[in-house]
Amino acid sequence: MTQSTVNAKPVLGMAEFVMLMAFMTSLVALSIDAMLPALDVIGHHLGAKDIHESHLIVSLFFGGMAFGQLFFGPYCDARGRREAIMLGLGIFVMGTLVCMIADDMTTMLIGRLIQAFGVSGPRIASMAVIRDQFAGEAMARVMSFIMMVFILVPMIAPMVGQWVISVASWTHIFTLFLVVSSGVGLWYFIRQPETLPVEDRVPFSWAQFFRSSKFILTHRDVIGPTVAMGCVFGAFLSYISASQTIFVGFYDVGDMFAYVFAFLAFSIGLASYMNSRIVMRWGMKKVTSMALYGVLVFSAVLVVEMVIFSGLPPLPLALITLFIGFFFVGLLFGNLNAIAMQPLGKLAGIGAAIIGSLSSIISVPVAMGIDAFLTDNLYPIAIGFLIFFSLAKLVITPTLKAEPEPTES
């Protein structure tokens, strides 16, 4: 298969396809962002030792996804996209039920790991569905449309989570997860046909797994953007995990937390919209290069602000700086993933799995490492941004400058 060909022509209209894929992939964001306003409440109820243990409810979720993606990647290449999605949603529901009955932090974290393992099914298979039908700049454009819808979840989910804990128990946040996952699964099952023909399926074998893994992990145009994605998302995840601590604990915004979080999430949504307009004209590599310079300037400015204001700039200044910086982060998300997926052809399933797993394996310890230094100021966040955005630019620069390597046919 060449870079420009795809396995199947789209069956759904673009609007419905984008909405369905956005809701499918947004289960990850919903499972994280709706929890944010409740982290302190859950930590107190389950006997968390400190704020860093409560942060694990978010950061360990991505650790569970790292293993889930490695399972569901080969599975959806061997058994098809639909079966992987339905199995993953079933496991997600099981994990959600464990979280609902948790009476200690250990049980809660086990439930979150099961949830994360399960949600990897729809996460990986939906990426493969998109790659089955689109390639290159067209895929980056579709991913940007999906991100535009997807970003509404981080904007709305904390408000919903805050409303739930204000009128009912935090356990009903998990009731919300059950309702949404069931609805999305039914929608997909009824409306979206299988996109991987039987003749193109790859029966699982360890020999094939290692051959495919070797191709993926030694392909410059896959491994560079994957490691870059892990660095970028790891730094960003440190902010997400600690966002309640930052805005409620450091800045004392109280019930305004959900609106502050939504304001900053809107920046990423705006970036995704802009990317959908410019990526077909400029190309994803040029946009990625520009965005990398943007995040480096942003993180350097943030460090300077930390020095001037002893680690805690005035809230309006911090919000303006973060809004501008997250715009460039938003440009990176869809494009880095599309660049990494571009050479994979029929290996889209296992490719999405390894890309997602490796980027999670990198991002989780990055986020936990940054958050471990968080005490009463934003120095760790600012310095972490500067270090890991710089590393991202370093590892992806050869891919951005070089001619494409051969793709897997």
Side-chain angles (χ1 to χ4, degrees), residues 152-230:
L152 293 175
V153 176
M155 292 176 64
I156 297 172
M159 300 180 194
V160 174
Q162 189 165 292
W163 176 80
V164 169
I165 62 176
S166 69
V167 301
S169 167
W170 57 264
T171 57
H172 287 293
I173 294 177
F174 295 100
T175 303
L176 171 69
F177 297 164
L178 292 176
V179 172
V180 173
S181 59
S182 299
V184 171
L186 186 62
W187 182 8
Y188 183 90
F189 185 78
I190 292 173
R191 294 289 296 160
Q192 175 62 48
E194 177 61 61
T195 58
L196 184 66
V198 174
E199 60 271 20
D200 286 341
R201 297 181 187 182
V202 182
F204 179 79
S205 73
W206 285 108
Q208 179 62 40
F209 177 81
F210 287 123
R211 281 197 300 270
S212 299
S213 298
K214 180 181 179 182
F215 173 82
I216 292 166
L217 294 174
T218 58
H219 198 299
R220 180 201 64 215
D221 293 342
V222 177
I223 196 66
T226 299
V227 174
M229 192 160 33

Side-chain angles (χ1 to χ4, degrees), residues 110-382:
I110 290 172
R112 292 290 282 171
L113 288 171
I114 296 172
Q115 270 192 314
F117 187 95
V119 83
S120 302
R123 167 70 175 81
I124 287 297
S126 59
M127 288 300 303
V129 168
I130 296 165
R131 179 60 183 86
D132 286 341
Q133 300 178 97
F134 301 94
E137 273 71 32
M139 180 179 175
R141 183 168 180 261
V142 170
M143 287 299 300
S144 293
F145 284 137
I146 289 171
M147 283 295 295
M148 287 166 55
V149 180
F150 172 91
I151 204 61
L152 293 175
V153 176
M155 292 176 64
I156 297 172
M159 300 180 194
V160 174
Q162 189 165 292
W163 176 80
V164 169
I165 62 176
S166 69
V167 301
S169 167
W170 57 264
T171 57
H172 287 293
I173 294 177
F174 295 100
T175 303
L176 171 69
F177 297 164
L178 292 176
V179 172
V180 173
S181 59
S182 299
V184 171
L186 186 62
W187 182 8
Y188 183 90
F189 185 78
I190 292 173
R191 294 289 296 160
Q192 175 62 48
E194 177 61 61
T195 58
L196 184 66
V198 174
E199 60 271 20
D200 286 341
R201 297 181 187 182
V202 182
F204 179 79
S205 73
W206 285 108
Q208 179 62 40
F209 177 81
F210 287 123
R211 281 197 300 270
S212 299
S213 298
K214 180 181 179 182
F215 173 82
I216 292 166
L217 294 174
T218 58
H219 198 299
R220 180 201 64 215
D221 293 342
V222 177
I223 196 66
T226 299
V227 174
M229 192 160 33
C231 292
V232 169
F233 189 70
F236 188 69
L237 179 58
S238 71
Y239 153 75
I240 295 175
S241 301
S243 58
Q244 190 196 40
T245 298
I246 293 170
F247 294 118
V248 177
F250 298 172
Y251 284 108
D252 194 25
V253 300
D255 291 342
M256 291 298 294
F257 164 71
Y259 299 96
V260 170
F261 192 88
F263 170 73
L264 294 177
F266 174 73
S267 175
I268 298 177
L270 180 62
S272 298
Y273 171 75
M274 291 298 298
N275 191 60
S276 70
R277 304 296 298 268
I278 64 177
V279 72
M280 296 295 287
R281 185 185 316 158
W282 294 357
M284 52 191 173
K285 288 188 176 182
K286 183 175 181 180
V287 175
T288 299
S289 181
M290 178 188 71
L292 284 167
Y293 282 111
V295 294
L296 287 177
V297 172
F298 147 66
S299 53
V301 169
L302 194 61
V303 169
V304 171
E305 291 179 4
M306 296 304 117
V307 174
I308 295 174
F309 295 101
S310 301
L312 206 63
L315 181 60
L317 177 61
L319 290 178
I320 291 171
T321 305
L322 290 172
F323 187 92
I324 296 171
F326 289 171
F327 176 86
F328 292 106
V329 172
L331 289 178
L332 289 174
F333 281 157
N335 286 311
L336 285 175
N337 197 79
I339 292 171
M341 290 288 291
Q342 173 69 9
L344 298 183
K346 292 181 182 178
L347 297 179
I350 190 173
I354 293 176
I355 289 168
S357 180
L358 180 57
S359 62
S360 294
I361 288 170
I362 294 169
S363 64
V364 171
V366 166
M368 292 175 65
I370 294 172
D371 282 347
F373 292 95
L374 200 65
T375 53
D376 58 359
N377 60 66
L378 298 182
Y379 265 118
I381 299 292

Side-chain angles (χ1 to χ4, degrees), residues 36 39 59 77 89 91 96 217 239 278 364 397:
L36 295 177
L39 289 182
S59 56
D77 279 346
L89 288 173
I91 296 173
T96 301
L217 294 174
Y239 153 75
I278 64 177
V364 171
T397 294

